[in-house]
Amino acid sequence: MPIINRIADFHEQMTAWRRDLHAHPELALQEIRTSGVVVEKLREFGVDEIVTGIAKTGVVGVIHGQSGKGGRAIGLRADMDALPIEEETGVEYASVNPGVMHACGHDGHTTMLLGAAKYLAETRNFDGTVYVIFQPAEENLAGGRIMVEEGLFERFPMQQVFGMHNWPSVPEGKFVWREGPMMAAVANIEITVTGKGSHGAHPNDGIDPIVVASQIVTALQTIVSRGIEPTEGGVVTIGHINGGHIYNVIPETVRMLGTARWFKPEVGDKLESGVRRLATGIAESFGAKAEVVFDRAYPATVNDAEATQMTLAAARAVAGEQRVEAMANPTMGGEDFAFMLQAKQGSYIMLGGARDPNEPRVHHPRYDFNDAILPIGASYWATLAEQLLARRDS
Ligand SMILES: [Zn+2]
Ligand SMILES: [Zn+2]
């Protein structure tokens, strides 16, 4: 069973939904219009129940199969939020909200799950229950964690939960999977170096935090290269540095922001202790002071082996054996579906969207979700549900 014909029938409709969502992007936990659109569509599809207000703007749709309530249940999750990026695609349905953009394809994720919900509510060719989970705030604010904390799995008891992300570096329509760690754990780093301000012509009167910060940035590069087992993955990146205002003034403080990524908890511990030790030690050796915040934001996204096999069967049915490929290495990107996978058996899969090899990647101001994959993703969701909740009488 490749792309489901009935879903292919509403490809044009799904494209219109996706472009409407794209034009009206909303930041994490502010997905008011977006979740309103989701609720309106789920109502129109005739799903059995719609629950709103979980993790503020989150929505869960409940779709029972032929046998009604009871029996097995699974959750299918899509994210809804956009990013604080100024869009440069130039498409006619570009963002109308300045500085906010669907640059990660969550407009496409929401649409693919809506497409599946429409089909599942119409055909009900399964036994048990499908929960369609529309999650807010995947970017930075951990909507996935909030949903779990607000009782997602207690209020909607399910055996497995599944996630999917479009991936613009993989050819259009190809699925990429991985068992075990797939995406990295993430910590946000904030380092504030406090020295002593002075006239730029009289550096001896002060303690220059810019010089201290420079030494820290350089030293941080050795944490992974010298401190972590070479075959393990790890990243420490400083992405922002800010201090001073003018040519000839040594400022009092410098603030740096960065990110750390890893898979194994012991690597995360080493990155944290390395950042703390080097920043505070170097600052102290110059007579300055460094304050370090190492905020562990997302755990690693780890796919369950059994659940991954379930996703493979569905992906192969939709895309064909040749277009389902194991991922050679996990990615250092982070994903808050990790919180759902910590609480529930499940797996996360990537769906390729590349029209050409130079396609701008996610989080790029010229990235745009590829509408050609909408029926593929929606068919994957529907097939996964029909396979896992197969009717006993069929
Ligand atoms: Zn993203
Ligand atoms: Zn994303």
Side-chain angles (χ1 to χ4, degrees), residues 12-89:
E12 214 173 298
Q13 232 178 325
M14 280 195 285
T15 303
W17 302 343
R18 206 285 292 181
R19 293 181 177 187
D20 170 67
L21 292 172
H22 188 88
H24 302 94
E26 293 169 303
L27 293 175
L29 297 178
Q30 298 170 31
E31 306 90 340
I32 310 284
R33 181 187 184 275
T34 308
S35 61
V37 168
V38 167
V39 168
E40 182 193 309
K41 297 249 180 288
L42 292 177
R43 198 169 287 145
E44 178 190 314
F45 304 158
V47 307
D48 297 292
E49 202 184 327
I50 301 167
V51 180
T52 59
I54 176 160
K56 204 170 170 194
T57 47
V59 180
V60 178
V62 184
I63 310 171
H64 297 302
Q66 294 286 337
S67 55
K69 288 184 182 176
R72 264 176 60 65
I74 61 166
L76 311 177
R77 170 273 200 179
D79 40 16
M80 301 190 290
D81 58 320
L83 283 156
I85 293 177
E86 188 69 47
E87 180 160 353
E88 293 174 14
T89 59

Coordinates of all heavy atoms in Angstrom, one line a residue, residues 12-89:
E12 N -4.3 18.9 -2.6 CA -4.4 20.3 -2.9 C -5.0 21.1 -1.7 O -4.5 22.2 -1.3 CB -5.4 20.5 -4.1 CG -5.1 21.7 -5.0 CD -6.1 21.6 -6.2 OE1 -6.0 20.7 -6.9 OE2 -6.9 22.6 -6.3
Q13 N -5.9 20.5 -1.0 CA -6.5 21.0 0.2 C -5.4 21.2 1.3 O -5.3 22.2 1.9 CB -7.6 20.0 0.7 CG -8.9 20.6 1.0 CD -9.9 19.5 1.4 OE1 -9.8 18.4 1.0 NE2 -10.7 19.9 2.3
M14 N -4.6 20.1 1.4 CA -3.6 20.1 2.5 C -2.5 21.2 2.1 O -2.0 21.9 3.0 CB -2.8 18.8 2.5 CG -3.6 17.7 3.3 SD -2.6 16.3 3.8 CE -2.5 15.5 2.2
T15 N -2.2 21.4 0.9 CA -1.3 22.5 0.5 C -1.8 23.8 0.9 O -1.1 24.7 1.4 CB -1.1 22.4 -1.1 OG1 -0.6 21.1 -1.4 CG2 0.0 23.4 -1.5
A16 N -3.1 24.0 0.7 CA -3.8 25.3 1.1 C -3.7 25.5 2.6 O -3.4 26.6 3.1 CB -5.2 25.4 0.6
W17 N -3.9 24.4 3.4 CA -3.8 24.5 4.8 C -2.4 24.9 5.2 O -2.2 25.8 6.1 CB -4.1 23.2 5.5 CG -5.5 22.6 5.3 CD1 -6.6 23.2 4.7 CD2 -5.9 21.2 5.5 NE1 -7.6 22.3 4.6 CE2 -7.2 21.1 5.1 CE3 -5.2 20.1 6.0 CZ2 -7.9 19.9 5.2 CZ3 -5.9 18.9 6.1 CH2 -7.2 18.8 5.7
R18 N -1.4 24.2 4.6 CA 0.0 24.4 5.0 C 0.4 25.9 4.7 O 1.1 26.5 5.5 CB 0.8 23.4 4.2 CG 2.2 23.0 4.8 CD 3.2 24.1 4.7 NE 3.7 24.4 3.4 CZ 4.6 25.2 3.1 NH1 5.2 25.9 4.0 NH2 5.0 25.4 1.8
R19 N 0.0 26.4 3.6 CA 0.4 27.7 3.2 C -0.3 28.8 4.0 O 0.3 29.8 4.4 CB 0.1 28.0 1.7 CG 1.1 27.1 0.9 CD 0.9 27.2 -0.6 NE 1.9 26.3 -1.2 CZ 2.2 26.3 -2.5 NH1 1.6 27.1 -3.3 NH2 3.1 25.5 -3.0
D20 N -1.5 28.5 4.5 CA -2.2 29.4 5.4 C -1.5 29.4 6.7 O -1.2 30.5 7.3 CB -3.7 28.9 5.6 CG -4.3 29.7 6.7 OD1 -4.6 30.9 6.6 OD2 -4.6 29.1 7.8
L21 N -1.1 28.2 7.2 CA -0.3 28.2 8.5 C 1.0 28.9 8.3 O 1.5 29.6 9.2 CB -0.1 26.7 8.9 CG -1.3 26.0 9.4 CD1 -1.0 24.5 9.6 CD2 -1.9 26.6 10.6
H22 N 1.6 28.7 7.1 CA 2.9 29.3 6.9 C 2.8 30.8 6.9 O 3.7 31.5 7.4 CB 3.5 28.9 5.5 CG 4.9 29.3 5.3 ND1 6.0 28.6 5.8 CD2 5.4 30.5 4.8 CE1 7.1 29.2 5.5 NE2 6.8 30.4 4.9
A23 N 1.8 31.4 6.4 CA 1.6 32.8 6.3 C 1.3 33.4 7.7 O 1.5 34.6 7.9 CB 0.5 33.2 5.4
H24 N 0.9 32.6 8.6 CA 0.5 33.1 10.0 C 1.3 32.3 11.1 O 0.7 31.7 11.9 CB -1.0 32.9 10.2 CG -1.8 33.6 9.2 ND1 -2.3 33.0 8.0 CD2 -2.2 34.9 9.1 CE1 -2.9 33.9 7.3 NE2 -2.9 35.1 7.9
P25 N 2.6 32.4 11.1 CA 3.4 31.7 12.1 C 3.3 32.3 13.5 O 3.1 33.5 13.6 CB 4.8 31.9 11.5 CG 4.8 33.2 10.8 CD 3.4 33.3 10.2
E26 N 3.4 31.5 14.5 CA 3.3 32.0 15.9 C 4.4 31.3 16.7 O 4.7 30.1 16.5 CB 1.9 31.6 16.5 CG 0.8 32.4 15.8 CD -0.6 31.9 16.2 OE1 -0.8 30.7 16.0 OE2 -1.4 32.7 16.7
L27 N 5.0 32.1 17.6 CA 6.1 31.6 18.4 C 5.6 30.7 19.5 O 4.4 30.6 19.7 CB 6.8 32.8 19.1 CG 7.6 33.7 18.1 CD1 8.2 34.9 18.9 CD2 8.7 33.0 17.4
A28 N 6.6 30.0 20.1 CA 6.3 29.0 21.1 C 5.4 29.5 22.2 O 5.5 30.6 22.7 CB 7.6 28.6 21.8
L29 N 4.3 28.7 22.5 CA 3.3 28.9 23.5 C 2.4 30.1 23.2 O 1.6 30.6 24.0 CB 3.9 29.1 24.9 CG 4.6 27.8 25.5 CD1 5.2 28.1 26.8 CD2 3.7 26.6 25.5
Q30 N 2.5 30.6 21.9 CA 1.6 31.7 21.5 C 0.8 31.2 20.3 O 0.3 32.0 19.5 CB 2.5 32.9 21.1 CG 3.3 33.5 22.2 CD 4.3 34.5 21.8 OE1 4.0 35.2 20.8 NE2 5.4 34.6 22.5
E31 N 0.7 29.9 20.1 CA 0.1 29.3 18.9 C -1.5 29.4 19.0 O -2.2 28.4 18.9 CB 0.5 27.9 18.7 CG 2.0 27.6 18.6 CD 2.6 27.3 20.0 OE1 2.0 27.7 21.0 OE2 3.7 26.8 20.0
I32 N -2.0 30.6 19.2 CA -3.4 30.8 19.4 C -4.2 30.5 18.1 O -5.1 29.7 18.1 CB -3.7 32.2 19.9 CG1 -2.8 32.6 21.1 CG2 -5.2 32.4 20.3 CD1 -3.2 32.0 22.4
R33 N -3.8 31.3 17.1 CA -4.5 31.1 15.8 C -4.3 29.7 15.3 O -5.3 29.0 14.8 CB -4.0 32.1 14.8 CG -4.7 32.0 13.4 CD -4.0 32.9 12.4 NE -4.8 32.8 11.1 CZ -4.6 31.9 10.2 NH1 -3.7 30.9 10.4 NH2 -5.3 31.9 9.1
T34 N -3.1 29.2 15.3 CA -2.7 27.9 14.8 C -3.6 26.8 15.5 O -4.2 26.0 14.8 CB -1.2 27.6 15.0 OG1 -0.5 28.7 14.5 CG2 -0.8 26.3 14.4
S35 N -3.6 26.8 16.8 CA -4.4 25.8 17.5 C -5.9 25.9 17.2 O -6.7 25.0 17.2 CB -4.1 25.7 19.0 OG -4.4 26.9 19.6
G36 N -6.3 27.2 17.0 CA -7.7 27.4 16.6 C -8.0 26.8 15.3 O -9.1 26.2 15.1
V37 N -7.1 26.9 14.3 CA -7.3 26.3 13.0 C -7.4 24.8 13.2 O -8.2 24.1 12.6 CB -6.1 26.7 12.1 CG1 -6.1 25.8 10.8 CG2 -6.2 28.2 11.7
V38 N -6.5 24.2 14.0 CA -6.4 22.8 14.3 C -7.8 22.3 14.8 O -8.4 21.4 14.3 CB -5.3 22.4 15.2 CG1 -5.4 21.0 15.7 CG2 -3.9 22.6 14.5
V39 N -8.3 23.0 15.8 CA -9.6 22.7 16.5 C -10.7 22.7 15.4 O -11.5 21.8 15.3 CB -9.9 23.6 17.7 CG1 -11.3 23.4 18.1 CG2 -8.9 23.3 18.8
E40 N -10.7 23.8 14.7 CA -11.8 24.0 13.7 C -11.8 22.8 12.6 O -12.8 22.3 12.3 CB -11.5 25.3 13.0 CG -12.5 25.8 11.9 CD -11.9 26.9 11.1 OE1 -11.4 27.9 11.8 OE2 -11.8 26.8 9.9
K41 N -10.6 22.4 12.2 CA -10.5 21.3 11.2 C -10.9 20.0 11.9 O -11.7 19.2 11.3 CB -9.1 21.2 10.7 CG -8.6 22.5 9.9 CD -8.5 22.2 8.4 CE -8.0 23.4 7.7 NZ -9.1 24.5 7.6
L42 N -10.4 19.7 13.1 CA -10.7 18.5 13.7 C -12.2 18.3 13.9 O -12.8 17.3 13.7 CB -10.0 18.3 15.1 CG -8.5 18.2 15.0 CD1 -7.9 18.1 16.4 CD2 -8.1 16.9 14.2
R43 N -12.9 19.5 14.2 CA -14.3 19.5 14.4 C -15.0 19.1 13.1 O -15.9 18.3 13.0 CB -14.8 20.8 14.9 CG -16.2 20.9 15.6 CD -16.4 22.2 16.3 NE -15.7 22.3 17.5 CZ -15.2 23.4 18.0 NH1 -15.3 24.5 17.4 NH2 -14.5 23.4 19.2
E44 N -14.5 19.8 12.0 CA -15.1 19.6 10.7 C -14.9 18.1 10.2 O -15.8 17.5 9.6 CB -14.3 20.5 9.8 CG -14.6 20.5 8.3 CD -13.6 21.4 7.6 OE1 -13.3 22.5 8.0 OE2 -13.0 20.9 6.5
F45 N -13.8 17.5 10.6 CA -13.5 16.1 10.3 C -14.4 15.1 11.1 O -14.5 13.9 10.7 CB -12.1 15.7 10.5 CG -11.0 16.5 9.9 CD1 -9.7 16.6 10.4 CD2 -11.3 17.3 8.7 CE1 -8.8 17.3 9.8 CE2 -10.4 18.1 8.1 CZ -9.1 18.1 8.7
G46 N -15.0 15.6 12.2 CA -15.9 14.7 13.0 C -15.1 13.8 13.9 O -15.5 12.6 14.1
V47 N -14.0 14.2 14.4 CA -13.3 13.4 15.4 C -14.1 13.3 16.6 O -15.0 14.1 16.9 CB -11.8 13.9 15.7 CG1 -11.0 14.1 14.5 CG2 -11.9 15.2 16.6
D48 N -13.9 12.2 17.5 CA -14.8 12.0 18.6 C -14.7 12.9 19.7 O -15.7 13.2 20.4 CB -14.6 10.5 19.1 CG -14.9 9.5 18.0 OD1 -16.1 9.4 17.7 OD2 -13.9 8.9 17.5
E49 N -13.5 13.5 19.9 CA -13.3 14.4 21.1 C -12.2 15.3 20.8 O -11.2 14.9 20.1 CB -13.0 13.5 22.3 CG -13.3 14.2 23.6 CD -12.9 13.3 24.8 OE1 -12.9 12.1 24.7 OE2 -12.4 13.9 25.8
I50 N -12.3 16.6 21.2 CA -11.2 17.5 21.1 C -10.9 18.1 22.4 O -11.7 18.7 23.1 CB -11.5 18.6 20.1 CG1 -11.9 18.0 18.7 CG2 -10.4 19.6 19.9 CD1 -12.6 19.0 17.7
V51 N -9.6 18.0 22.9 CA -9.2 18.5 24.2 C -8.2 19.6 23.9 O -7.2 19.4 23.3 CB -8.6 17.4 25.1 CG1 -8.2 18.0 26.4 CG2 -9.6 16.3 25.2
T52 N -8.5 20.8 24.5 CA -7.6 22.0 24.3 C -7.0 22.4 25.6 O -7.4 21.8 26.7 CB -8.4 23.2 23.7 OG1 -9.4 23.5 24.6 CG2 -9.0 22.9 22.3
G53 N -6.1 23.3 25.5 CA -5.5 23.9 26.8 C -4.5 23.0 27.5 O -4.1 23.3 28.6
I54 N -4.0 21.9 26.9 CA -3.0 21.1 27.5 C -1.7 21.7 27.0 O -1.5 21.9 25.8 CB -3.2 19.6 27.2 CG1 -2.0 18.8 27.7 CG2 -3.4 19.3 25.7 CD1 -2.3 17.3 27.9
A55 N -0.8 22.1 27.9 CA 0.4 22.9 27.6 C 0.0 24.2 26.9 O 0.5 24.6 25.8 CB 1.4 22.2 26.8
K56 N -1.0 24.9 27.5 CA -1.5 26.2 27.0 C -2.2 26.1 25.7 O -3.4 26.1 25.6 CB -0.4 27.2 27.0 CG -0.9 28.6 27.1 CD 0.3 29.6 27.3 CE -0.2 31.0 27.2 NZ 0.9 32.0 27.0
T57 N -1.5 26.0 24.6 CA -2.1 26.0 23.3 C -2.1 24.6 22.6 O -2.5 24.5 21.5 CB -1.3 27.0 22.4 OG1 0.1 26.7 22.5 CG2 -1.5 28.4 22.7
G58 N -1.8 23.6 23.4 CA -1.8 22.2 22.8 C -3.2 21.7 22.6 O -4.1 22.1 23.3
V59 N -3.3 20.8 21.6 CA -4.6 20.2 21.3 C -4.5 18.7 21.1 O -3.5 18.3 20.5 CB -5.2 20.8 19.9 CG1 -6.5 20.2 19.6 CG2 -5.3 22.3 20.0
V60 N -5.4 17.9 21.6 CA -5.4 16.5 21.4 C -6.7 16.1 20.8 O -7.8 16.4 21.3 CB -5.1 15.7 22.7 CG1 -5.2 14.2 22.4 CG2 -3.8 16.0 23.3
G61 N -6.7 15.5 19.6 CA -7.9 15.0 19.0 C -8.0 13.5 19.2 O -7.0 12.8 19.2
V62 N -9.2 13.0 19.5 CA -9.4 11.6 19.9 C -10.3 10.9 18.7 O -11.3 11.4 18.4 CB -10.2 11.4 21.2 CG1 -10.3 9.9 21.6 CG2 -9.5 12.2 22.3
I63 N -9.7 9.9 18.1 CA -10.4 9.2 17.0 C -10.6 7.7 17.4 O -9.6 7.0 17.5 CB -9.7 9.4 15.7 CG1 -9.3 10.8 15.4 CG2 -10.6 8.8 14.5 CD1 -8.4 11.1 14.2
H64 N -11.8 7.3 17.6 CA -12.0 5.8 17.9 C -12.2 5.1 16.6 O -12.8 5.6 15.6 CB -13.2 5.7 18.8 CG -13.1 6.3 20.1 ND1 -12.1 6.0 21.0 CD2 -13.8 7.3 20.7 CE1 -12.2 6.7 22.1 NE2 -13.2 7.5 22.0
G65 N -11.8 3.8 16.6 CA -11.9 3.0 15.4 C -13.3 2.3 15.4 O -14.2 2.7 16.1
Q66 N -13.4 1.2 14.6 CA -14.7 0.5 14.4 C -15.3 0.0 15.7 O -16.5 0.0 15.9 CB -14.5 -0.7 13.4 CG -14.1 -0.3 12.0 CD -15.3 0.3 11.3 OE1 -16.5 0.0 11.6 NE2 -15.1 1.1 10.2
S67 N -14.4 -0.5 16.6 CA -14.9 -1.1 17.8 C -15.2 -0.1 18.9 O -15.6 -0.5 20.0 CB -13.8 -2.1 18.3 OG -12.6 -1.4 18.5
G68 N -15.1 1.2 18.6 CA -15.5 2.2 19.6 C -14.4 2.3 20.7 O -13.2 2.0 20.4
K69 N -14.8 2.7 21.9 CA -13.8 3.0 22.9 C -13.2 1.6 23.4 O -13.7 0.6 23.2 CB -14.5 3.6 24.1 CG -14.8 5.1 23.9 CD -15.4 5.8 25.1 CE -15.8 7.2 24.8 NZ -16.4 7.9 25.9
G70 N -12.0 1.8 24.0 CA -11.3 0.6 24.6 C -10.3 0.0 23.6 O -10.2 0.5 22.4
G71 N -9.6 -1.0 24.0 CA -8.6 -1.6 23.1 C -7.3 -0.8 23.1 O -7.1 0.1 23.9
R72 N -6.5 -1.1 22.1 CA -5.2 -0.5 22.0 C -5.3 1.0 21.6 O -6.3 1.4 21.0 CB -4.3 -1.2 21.0 CG -3.4 -2.3 21.6 CD -2.6 -3.0 20.5 NE -1.8 -2.2 19.6 CZ -0.7 -1.5 20.0 NH1 -0.3 -1.5 21.3 NH2 0.0 -0.9 19.2
A73 N -4.3 1.7 21.9 CA -4.3 3.2 21.6 C -2.9 3.6 21.2 O -1.9 3.1 21.9 CB -4.9 4.0 22.7
I74 N -2.7 4.5 20.3 CA -1.4 5.1 20.0 C -1.6 6.6 19.8 O -2.7 7.1 19.6 CB -0.8 4.5 18.7 CG1 -1.7 4.8 17.5 CG2 -0.5 3.0 18.8 CD1 -1.0 4.6 16.1
G75 N -0.4 7.3 20.0 CA -0.4 8.7 19.8 C 0.5 9.1 18.7 O 1.5 8.5 18.5
L76 N 0.0 10.1 17.8 CA 0.8 10.6 16.7 C 1.0 12.1 17.0 O 0.0 12.8 17.3 CB 0.0 10.5 15.4 CG -0.6 9.0 15.1 CD1 -1.3 9.1 13.8 CD2 0.6 8.0 15.1
R77 N 2.2 12.5 17.0 CA 2.5 13.9 17.5 C 3.1 14.8 16.4 O 4.0 14.4 15.7 CB 3.4 13.8 18.7 CG 4.0 15.2 19.2 CD 5.3 15.5 18.4 NE 6.1 16.4 19.1 CZ 7.3 16.8 18.7 NH1 7.7 16.4 17.5 NH2 8.0 17.7 19.3
A78 N 2.5 16.0 16.3 CA 3.1 17.0 15.4 C 3.3 18.3 16.3 O 2.7 18.5 17.2 CB 2.1 17.4 14.3
D79 N 4.3 19.1 15.9 CA 4.6 20.4 16.5 C 4.0 21.5 15.7 O 3.9 21.4 14.5 CB 6.1 20.5 16.9 CG 7.0 20.1 15.8 OD1 6.5 19.9 14.6 OD2 8.2 19.9 16.0
M80 N 3.7 22.6 16.4 CA 3.0 23.7 15.7 C 3.7 25.1 15.7 O 3.2 26.0 15.0 CB 1.6 24.0 16.5 CG 0.7 22.8 16.6 SD -0.9 23.3 17.2 CE -0.5 23.7 19.0
D81 N 4.8 25.2 16.4 CA 5.4 26.6 16.6 C 6.3 27.0 15.5 O 6.9 26.2 14.8 CB 6.0 26.7 18.0 CG 7.1 25.6 18.1 OD1 7.0 24.5 17.7 OD2 8.2 26.0 18.7
A82 N 6.6 28.3 15.4 CA 7.5 28.9 14.4 C 8.7 29.5 15.2 O 8.8 29.4 16.4 CB 6.7 30.0 13.6
L83 N 9.6 30.1 14.4 CA 10.8 30.6 15.0 C 11.0 32.2 14.8 O 10.4 32.8 13.9 CB 12.0 30.0 14.2 CG 12.3 28.6 14.6 CD1 13.0 27.9 13.4 CD2 13.2 28.5 15.8
P84 N 11.8 32.8 15.7 CA 12.0 34.2 15.5 C 13.0 34.5 14.5 O 14.1 34.9 14.7 CB 12.5 34.6 16.9 CG 13.1 33.4 17.5 CD 12.4 32.2 16.9
I85 N 12.6 34.3 13.2 CA 13.5 34.5 12.0 C 12.7 35.4 11.0 O 11.5 35.2 10.9 CB 13.8 33.2 11.4 CG1 14.7 32.4 12.3 CG2 14.5 33.4 10.0 CD1 15.1 31.0 11.8
E86 N 13.4 36.3 10.4 CA 12.8 37.2 9.3 C 12.8 36.4 8.0 O 13.9 36.1 7.5 CB 13.6 38.5 9.2 CG 12.9 39.5 8.3 CD 11.6 40.1 8.9 OE1 11.6 40.5 10.1 OE2 10.7 40.2 8.1
E87 N 11.7 36.1 7.5 CA 11.6 35.2 6.3 C 12.1 35.9 5.1 O 11.9 37.1 4.8 CB 10.1 34.8 6.1 CG 9.9 33.9 4.9 CD 8.6 33.1 4.9 OE1 7.9 33.2 5.9 OE2 8.3 32.5 3.9
E88 N 12.9 35.1 4.3 CA 13.4 35.6 3.0 C 13.1 34.8 1.8 O 13.8 34.8 0.8 CB 15.0 35.7 3.1 CG 15.5 36.8 4.1 CD 17.0 36.7 4.3 OE1 17.7 36.1 3.5 OE2 17.5 37.3 5.3
T89 N 12.0 34.0 1.9 CA 11.7 33.1 0.8 C 11.1 33.8 -0.4 O 11.3 33.3 -1.5 CB 10.6 32.0 1.2 OG1 9.5 32.7 1.6 CG2 11.1 31.2 2.4

